[in-house]
Amino acid sequence: MTTLDTYETRCEQLFLAGGNAAVRRAAQEGLDSLGPHADLYCWLALGHAAEDEDDHDDLAEEAFRAGLALDGDHLGLLAGYAELCLRADEFDHPGRSSRARVLSRRLKELAPESAEADRLASAERWARRSYWDELRMAAAEGAVASRQTQDQARAVTDALAAGGTDAARTAARAAESAAPTDRGAAVLAATVEALAGPWNAPVRLLGRHRPAAWAVSMGLALLTNTLLRQSGAVDSFSLWGYLWLLPVLLVDRRFSSVRKEAEARHLTRLEAELAARP
């Protein structure tokens, strides 16, 4: 019979990999197999809360409450529930929002120096974020996405240069099969499959030199709009120049779509691999 530690390890690895639905399946399987347990309710709740949607938030609250009914001093449940309540809208969910203070106070009484208390303190700072903080976060997320696109483009270009399209596909598939839980191998295999071939060369080129492509596109857009106004083609303001940004936006979307496909495939393999362990 699968032990509690095995279910917890499975949930943790799936959660770190971003597999929220897989976390919920593993936690629910553990609850069905072993019966009610606070740790498994905590993972079930976190798997719902990570979706950040109203329906999932409701289910997360049910799981947090069920877990705390078994162990009212469970640090993970207190921290996770407090984070959920901090995120709640005061107008739509006044009761949930008001519970954040009670849960936070209880956690800090029990373990003020714990990792859970530190995580909750970060969540409280985020709840007090300003407009500028949101802008900085958006810029940081954009920078991460940019680096991911560049890394993908470089990896697929290097793979193709090493032996051509067929050899690159064969090598990428073999690497993915040899390491089914390696996210990087899954991303490379999916990228080679989707973006190999001469017709995708412009996509790979723009992806590899994304910052320069954005800079050139913005410059062309501003120049085009200026020329349109000076020539009298438009009266004051024009959006036509921004059509120069369309190719780069499409390339970003293409690479992002491939990453999502690869991550879904990676999660499926990871879930199967973890479920097969005793």
Side-chain angles (χ1 to χ4, degrees):
M1 186 173 108
T2 306
T3 65
L4 175 62
D5 286 344
T6 300
Y7 280 117
E8 287 191 85
T9 299
R10 189 188 305 177
C11 289
E12 181 179 13
Q13 293 192 30
L14 291 168
F15 188 79
L16 291 174
N20 302 324
V23 171
R24 298 194 296 270
R25 286 192 292 269
Q28 189 60 59
E29 182 184 334
L31 289 167
D32 294 340
S33 175
L34 305 177
H37 197 285
D39 288 339
L40 293 175
Y41 274 121
C42 185
W43 283 117
L44 179 61
L46 291 175
H48 280 296
E51 300 288 359
D52 197 14
E53 297 176 357
D54 287 344
D55 291 343
H56 281 285
D57 284 351
D58 292 341
L59 293 170
E61 184 166 32
E62 290 179 13
F64 279 129
R65 285 176 170 271
L68 287 170
L70 296 172
D71 182 358
D73 293 338
H74 191 286
L75 300 183
L77 287 166
L78 288 169
Y81 194 8
E83 286 185 55
L84 179 72
C85 294
L86 283 170
R87 197 175 67 205
D89 186 274
E90 293 184 8
F91 181 78
D92 294 332
H93 302 282
R96 182 183 298 168
S97 179
S98 65
R99 279 189 286 276
R101 290 186 294 275
V102 177
L103 293 163
S104 176
R105 183 168 60 249
R106 180 58 180 160
L107 175 60
K108 290 170 184 176
E109 289 172 354
L110 289 170
E113 304 298 328
S114 64
E116 289 83 1
D118 290 341
R119 191 182 79 196
L120 180 56
S122 296
E124 289 173 335
R125 287 193 295 272
W126 177 241
R128 298 191 297 268
R129 68 191 182 279
S130 67
Y131 173 74
W132 296 111
D133 290 329
E134 292 193 359
L135 286 180
R136 283 195 293 270
M137 284 295 296
E141 290 173 0
V144 169
S146 175
R147 285 195 297 272
Q148 288 177 329
T149 293
Q150 287 180 268
D151 290 344
Q152 268 181 280
R154 289 194 184 100
V156 70
T157 301
D158 292 344
L160 292 171
T165 300
D166 292 338
R169 283 176 174 159
T170 301
R173 288 169 185 161
E176 185 181 24
S177 298
T181 59
D182 185 343
R183 178 188 177 278
V187 171
L188 178 58
T191 307
V192 170
E193 288 175 11
L195 298 178
W199 54 91
N200 280 311
V203 176
R204 298 193 299 270
L205 179 65
L206 288 176
R208 187 167 187 172
H209 302 286
R210 184 183 180 279
W214 268 109
V216 170
S217 298
M218 284 297 299
L220 288 172
L222 294 173
L223 177 61
T224 300
N225 287 337
T226 300
L227 292 175
L228 287 172
R229 288 195 301 271
Q230 291 178 348
S231 66
V234 296
D235 293 332
S236 57
F237 181 73
S238 172
L239 293 175
W240 288 105
Y242 292 105
L243 290 175
W244 287 106
L245 300 179
L246 189 58
V248 190
L249 290 171
L250 291 175
V251 166
D252 279 353
R253 178 167 291 189
R254 189 77 177 98
F255 276 98
S256 176
S257 174
V258 172
R259 281 198 302 274
K260 288 179 181 177
E261 176 189 340
E263 286 164 0
R265 191 160 71 187
H266 166 245
L267 284 169
T268 298
R269 288 174 176 265
L270 179 61
E271 186 175 11
E273 173 78 12
L274 293 172
R277 295 178 184 175

